[in-house]
């Protein structure tokens, strides 16, 4: 499910990028999301190994990740307003 949602978000960013304040950045961002989703679908074992390492780290820095996520969400929102 994560891969499918990541792919859909990547395609959405690609489609919306021409109307955003920084179209080049969001086109690249969408491409990275879509390509990484395909990698996750094609190499599920690698994704599982990465998750076993990354999840404990993410749990230790959850407050930082939450704060950065809110800031990036606001930046994306700003970028959609032309």
């Amino acid at each position: 499910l994560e891969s499918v949602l990541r792919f859909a978000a990547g395609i959405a960013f690609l489609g919306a990028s021409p109307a955003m304040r920084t179209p080049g950045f969001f086109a690249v961002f969408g491409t990275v999301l879509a390509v990484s989703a395909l990698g996750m679908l094609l190499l599920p074992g690698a994704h599982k190994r990465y998750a076993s390492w990354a999840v404990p780290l993410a749990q230790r820095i959850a407050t930082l990740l939450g704060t950065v996520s809110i800031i990036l969400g606001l930046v994306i929102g700003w970028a959609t307003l032309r």
Side-chain angles (χ1 to χ4, degrees):
L1 178 64
E2 177 188 355
S3 303
V4 173
L5 293 175
R6 179 185 291 245
F7 185 77
I11 297 302
F13 274 111
L14 276 171
S17 66
M20 298 178 104
R21 290 180 190 245
T22 53
F25 172 80
F26 284 102
V28 170
F29 183 65
T31 301
V32 168
L33 281 177
V35 169
S36 65
L38 293 176
M40 288 167 53
L41 285 170
L42 297 174
L43 303 167
H47 181 252
K48 188 172 185 174
R49 284 190 304 275
Y50 170 73
S52 69
W53 168 83
V55 168
L57 173 63
Q59 288 174 331
R60 286 195 301 273
I61 60 170
T63 302
L64 174 63
L65 290 175
T67 303
V68 170
S69 296
I70 290 170
I71 292 168
L72 290 176
L74 292 170
V75 168
I76 291 169
W78 169 83
T80 61
L81 302 174
R82 245 188 173 194

